[in-house]
């Protein structure tokens, strides 16, 4: 029995372990991973206030990024323009003389999320903003219900700050119709911010936004699930079920033989 389980385990390992062969696809994957890793290193350096080192890494990122065959990689001009803009803002953030640390981190984080959205097929990093964005929306709605104009403006600024940070990543990752719907929601809030609070209309709008954003995060999570993970789970699960069935069948045969011998 132990030998059979070992053989099954080895078979599973062989099935889920790809045969190594250097291909163009693997080379491309390695390049994107390196670019993604470099953008993360830039963010960590800025958090540590090591701006000169961060600038050097941004230069390194720029050289490697320009070597990418964007047409062959299927990168749209819109996505390329979005990453380029976040890169330029990131450069400004690390070279500005008197920019607060928070503003530097905000700009670099936006760049980091955009690069990740471009390079990651599964579970983009901007999904990790769900809690902050949803809390900002909830707090906005609560200030409207309380008819607190000043607190509402503060919470609106907080939400817009989160949105501006993840906006480039959304431009890269989302389909245009969904993106346009989100943009229209933001435009509605920005146009109404100088007007007196209208609790009923704003509360309805913010409730709708909470529901839309919750669906957005959930949908992207489901769409971004790695298909290979499900394949591995089903493969291993199937092997386990097969082995248990075989063991059960052997036990049944043994018990049946004992009954016959007694008879």
């Amino acid at each position: 029995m132990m030998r059979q389980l070992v053989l099954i385990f080895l078979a599973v390992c062989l099935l889920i372990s790809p045969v190594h062969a250097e291909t163009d696809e693997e080379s491309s994957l390695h390049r994107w991973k390196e670019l993604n890793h470099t953008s993360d290193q830039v963010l960590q350096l800025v958090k540590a206030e090591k701006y000169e080192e961060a600038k050097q890494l941004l230069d390194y990122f720029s050289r490697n990024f320009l070597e990418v065959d964007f047409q062959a990689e299927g990168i749209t001009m819109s996505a390329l323009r979005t990453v380029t803009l976040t890169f330029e803002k990131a450069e400004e953030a690390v070279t500005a003389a008197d920019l607060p640390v928070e503003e530097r981190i905000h700009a670099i984080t936006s760049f980091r999320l955009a690069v990740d959205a471009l390079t990651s097929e599964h579970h983009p990093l901007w999904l990790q903003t769900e809690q902050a964005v949803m809390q900002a929306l909830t707090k906005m709605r609560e200030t409207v219900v309380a008819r607190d104009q000043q607190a509402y403006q503060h919470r609106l600024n907080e939400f817009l700050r989160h949105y501006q940070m993840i906006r480039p990543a959304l431009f890269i990752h989302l389909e245009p119709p969904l993106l346009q719907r989100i943009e229209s929601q933001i435009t509605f809030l920005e146009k109404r911010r100088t007007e007196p609070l209208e609790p009923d209309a704003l509360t309805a709008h913010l409730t709708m936004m909470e529901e839309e954003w919750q669906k957005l995060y959930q949908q992207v999570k489901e769409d971004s699930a790695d298909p290979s993970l499900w394949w591995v789970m089903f493969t291993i699960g199937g092997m386990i079920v097969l082995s248990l069935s075989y063991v059960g069948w052997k036990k049944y045969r043994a018990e049946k033989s004992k009954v016959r011998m007694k008879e």
Side-chain angles (χ1 to χ4, degrees):
M1 175 180 170
M2 181 59 69
R3 181 184 177 186
Q4 293 161 351
L5 291 177
V6 170
L7 290 174
I8 291 172
F9 175 76
L10 290 174
V12 172
C13 290
L14 288 172
L15 283 170
I16 65 177
S17 298
V19 177
H20 179 73
E22 187 65 26
T23 64
D24 291 341
E25 184 177 353
E26 287 178 337
S27 178
S28 173
L29 181 61
H30 175 75
R31 183 188 303 114
W32 286 122
K33 283 184 176 180
E34 184 175 2
L35 288 169
N36 208 6
H37 179 63
T38 302
S39 68
D40 182 64
Q41 286 181 306
V42 173
L43 177 59
Q44 301 311 317
L45 287 171
V46 170
K47 287 181 178 180
E49 301 184 34
K50 297 179 179 179
Y51 305 128
E52 183 58 37
E53 294 177 39
K55 175 62 169 64
Q56 293 174 6
L57 266 186
L58 280 174
D59 292 339
Y60 173 77
F61 177 92
S62 178
R63 291 193 299 271
N64 285 348
F65 190 68
L66 291 175
E67 292 178 359
V68 175
D69 187 340
F70 302 111
Q71 185 174 2
E73 296 289 347
I75 298 174
T76 65
M77 289 302 298
S78 175
L80 180 59
R81 183 169 58 252
T82 299
V83 172
T84 301
L85 288 174
T86 61
F87 175 83
E88 291 173 352
K89 291 180 180 178
E91 270 197 320
E92 293 175 6
V94 299
T95 56
D98 54 356
L99 195 67
V101 177
E102 293 76 11
E103 294 298 323
R104 297 180 195 268
I105 294 176
H106 185 273
I108 302 299
T109 301
S110 184
F111 165 68
R112 170 78 180 99
L113 295 178
V115 173
D116 178 81
L118 188 66
T119 60
S120 298
E121 294 184 12
H122 309 294
H123 204 78
L125 277 178
W126 67 265
L127 286 178
Q128 296 181 12
T129 64
E130 179 178 5
Q131 184 176 358
V133 169
M134 296 308 300
Q135 283 183 352
L137 283 168
T138 300
K139 289 177 180 177
M140 254 203 304
R141 178 172 49 80
E142 290 172 351
T143 60
V144 172
V145 172
R147 298 174 184 269
D148 191 334
Q149 178 84 31
Q150 186 175 358
Y152 168 72
Q153 295 295 336
H154 174 72
R155 296 304 183 186
L156 176 57
N157 288 337
E158 180 184 354
F159 169 76
L160 291 176
R161 182 174 174 80
H162 285 304
Y163 178 67
Q164 290 302 323
M165 184 175 67
I166 67 175
R167 188 169 181 260
L170 297 183
F171 262 77
I172 293 171
H173 199 103
L174 300 183
E175 294 295 327
L178 180 55
L179 187 62
Q180 290 170 6
R181 190 159 72 244
I182 291 175
E183 287 281 288
S184 66
Q185 296 171 2
I186 306 300
T187 301
F188 177 87
L189 293 177
E190 290 178 325
K191 286 183 176 180
R192 292 289 193 94
R193 72 176 307 166
T194 58
E195 301 174 4
L197 283 180
E198 297 181 12
D200 292 341
L202 266 180
T203 300
H205 182 75
L206 290 170
T207 300
M208 178 270 294
M209 284 186 67
E210 286 182 83
E211 294 173 354
E212 287 275 336
W213 278 82
Q214 192 65 62
K215 289 179 183 177
L216 168 65
Y217 279 109
Q218 187 59 39
Q219 178 183 335
V220 174
K221 285 178 185 176
E222 293 174 357
D223 293 345
S224 300
D226 188 348
S228 64
L229 179 61
W230 291 106
W231 183 84
V232 170
M233 290 172 63
F234 283 124
T235 301
I236 294 177
M239 288 294 184
I240 292 174
V241 170
L242 181 63
S243 63
L244 291 176
S245 299
Y246 179 75
V247 171
W249 177 75
K250 291 280 286 183
K251 184 177 181 181
Y252 168 76
R253 288 285 302 273
E255 292 293 334
K256 196 170 183 180
S257 296
K258 288 181 182 179
V259 172
R260 287 177 177 173
M261 289 178 65
K262 288 181 180 179
E263 291 177 350

